[in-house]
């Protein structure tokens, strides 16, 4: 897939070395979350900055970013340092108090569901959801809420892990190819507890095709590409079937009008 004008700036940043660097951080997600999420936050700010600058020809400093499913707030510091006003939304109080959000040092944090955001229509400049859609039963209801609160001319950026990709099973590893329920049971027998990302309750099979279909149906889609791949591998997004296994994490960029 050729980059659109909106994603061309970020495409220049999407190098093989970046992909390798980010992939290396994933092994620290459970053991050193601050290290993992710090690296992911920096990369996410760069992504949002490039997309906003390309769309508006303005820097995003001073703009409001609503992060749906912001968890414990590791992204807040990175967006604050970039000069953006950060609002994190998280429904689970355990997640919200598992990291920097508990300090209330940067950003604003709201306990709420992404299915019913407690914000007015057209109230934020940028609405972001990073790796959340695969954890909710109705991901496109989440997407519609993101579009509702994003002002015309703003950006909604939704990225999620594709189920049939190599990371679709999260901590269950490649056993998700045996089936989600079977993989969860196998994990439970091995570790003595249910996985945090438990198939059918906190992890669901979300496809690339469904995301693209929803995004196109809104009339607001302006770009779609693999989040962690180098630029030369973005063509995979255009190939039905293949994209389900190789895209891994799909970014949908929408601009309400």
């Amino acid at each position: 897939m050729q980059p659109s004008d909106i994603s061309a700036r970020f495409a220049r940043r999407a190098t093989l070395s970046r992909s390798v660097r980010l992939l290396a951080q994933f092994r620290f997600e459970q053991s050193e979350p601050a290290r993992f999420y710090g690296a992911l936050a920096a990369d996410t700010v760069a992504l949002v900055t490039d997309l906003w600058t390309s769309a508006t020809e303005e820097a995003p400093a001073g703009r409001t970013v609503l992060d749906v499913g912001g968890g414990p707030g590791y992204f807040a510091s990175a967006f604050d340092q970039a000069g953006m006003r950060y609002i994190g939304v998280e429904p689970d109080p355990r997640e919200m108090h598992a990291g920097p959000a508990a300090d209330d040092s940067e950003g604003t944090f709201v306990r709420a569901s992404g299915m019913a955001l407690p914000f007015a229509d057209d109230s934020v400049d940028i609405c972001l959801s990073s790796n959340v859609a695969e954890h909710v039963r109705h991901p496109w209801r989440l997407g519609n809420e993101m579009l509702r609160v994003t002002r015309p001319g703003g950006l909604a950026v939704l990225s999620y892990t594709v189920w049939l990709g190599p990371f679709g099973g999260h901590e269950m590893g490649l056993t998700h190819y045996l089936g989600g329920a079977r993989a969860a049971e196998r994990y439970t027998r091995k570790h003595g507890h249910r996985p945090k990302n438990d198939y059918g309750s906190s992890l669901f099979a979300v496809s690339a095709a469904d995301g693209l279909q929803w995004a196109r149906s809104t009339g607001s889609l302006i770009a779609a590409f693999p989040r962690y791949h180098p630029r030369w591998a973005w063509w995979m997004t255009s190939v039905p079937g293949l994209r389900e296994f190789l895209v891994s994490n799909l970014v949908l960029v929408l601009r309400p009008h």
Side-chain angles (χ1 to χ4, degrees):
M1 173 174 284
Q2 293 299 316
S4 65
D5 290 342
I6 189 72
S7 61
R9 185 185 299 264
F10 181 73
R12 293 194 291 271
R13 193 190 301 273
T15 62
L16 179 60
S17 62
R18 165 188 170 266
S19 298
V20 171
R21 185 172 63 252
L22 287 172
L23 185 62
Q25 296 298 324
F26 272 91
R27 69 181 186 274
F28 299 108
E29 181 177 6
Q30 301 291 328
S31 60
E32 298 181 56
R35 175 175 178 172
F36 167 72
Y37 285 108
L40 186 60
D43 191 76
T44 302
V45 169
L47 167 64
V48 169
T49 297
D50 284 348
L51 293 174
W52 179 267
T53 303
S54 296
T56 67
E57 299 184 352
E58 297 177 354
R63 299 295 178 176
T64 299
V65 177
L66 179 63
D67 183 7
V68 181
Y74 288 108
F75 282 23
S77 177
F79 277 103
D80 180 76
Q81 291 175 18
M84 288 176 262
R85 297 190 297 269
Y86 179 90
I87 304 172
V89 173
E90 173 59 47
D92 188 344
R94 294 168 299 179
E95 283 292 313
M96 187 175 288
H97 292 278
D103 300 332
D104 266 345
S105 56
E106 292 161 329
T108 300
F109 298 89
V110 178
R111 183 183 174 187
S113 170
M115 302 294 104
L117 293 169
F119 300 92
D121 296 357
D122 309 335
S123 58
V124 302
D125 299 300
I126 302 163
C127 193
L128 167 71
S129 179
S130 176
N131 300 334
V132 174
E134 71 267 27
H135 299 296
V136 298
R137 290 185 183 275
H138 305 290
W140 316 129
R141 185 185 301 174
L142 169 73
N144 287 334
E145 275 292 277
M146 292 174 62
L147 285 175
R148 179 185 65 79
V149 302
T150 305
R151 69 169 178 80
L155 289 180
V157 183
L158 191 161
S159 79
Y160 64 95
T161 303
V162 178
W163 172 247
L164 287 177
F167 302 108
H170 289 58
E171 71 266 41
M172 295 183 294
L174 297 178
T175 63
H176 72 297
Y177 289 121
L178 302 173
R182 182 178 296 177
E185 292 300 329
R186 180 172 177 169
Y187 181 96
T188 302
R189 289 195 300 270
K190 180 177 181 180
H191 297 277
H193 61 84
R194 303 292 297 182
K196 176 182 177 182
N197 300 289
D198 197 352
Y199 184 80
S201 61
S202 56
L203 181 64
F204 301 90
V206 185
S207 70
D210 285 348
L212 289 165
Q213 181 180 21
W214 165 77
R216 289 167 180 153
S217 74
T218 69
S220 301
L221 180 67
I222 56 175
F225 53 89
R227 182 171 182 175
Y228 304 120
H229 286 29
R231 162 66 191 88
W232 46 261
W234 284 16
W235 61 270
M236 296 175 182
T237 308
S238 300
V239 185
L242 183 69
R243 63 191 173 204
E244 303 297 341
F245 294 92
L246 298 183
V247 162
S248 182
N249 190 287
L250 181 63
V251 179
L252 302 172
V253 185
L254 303 102
R255 194 174 194 194
H257 46 76

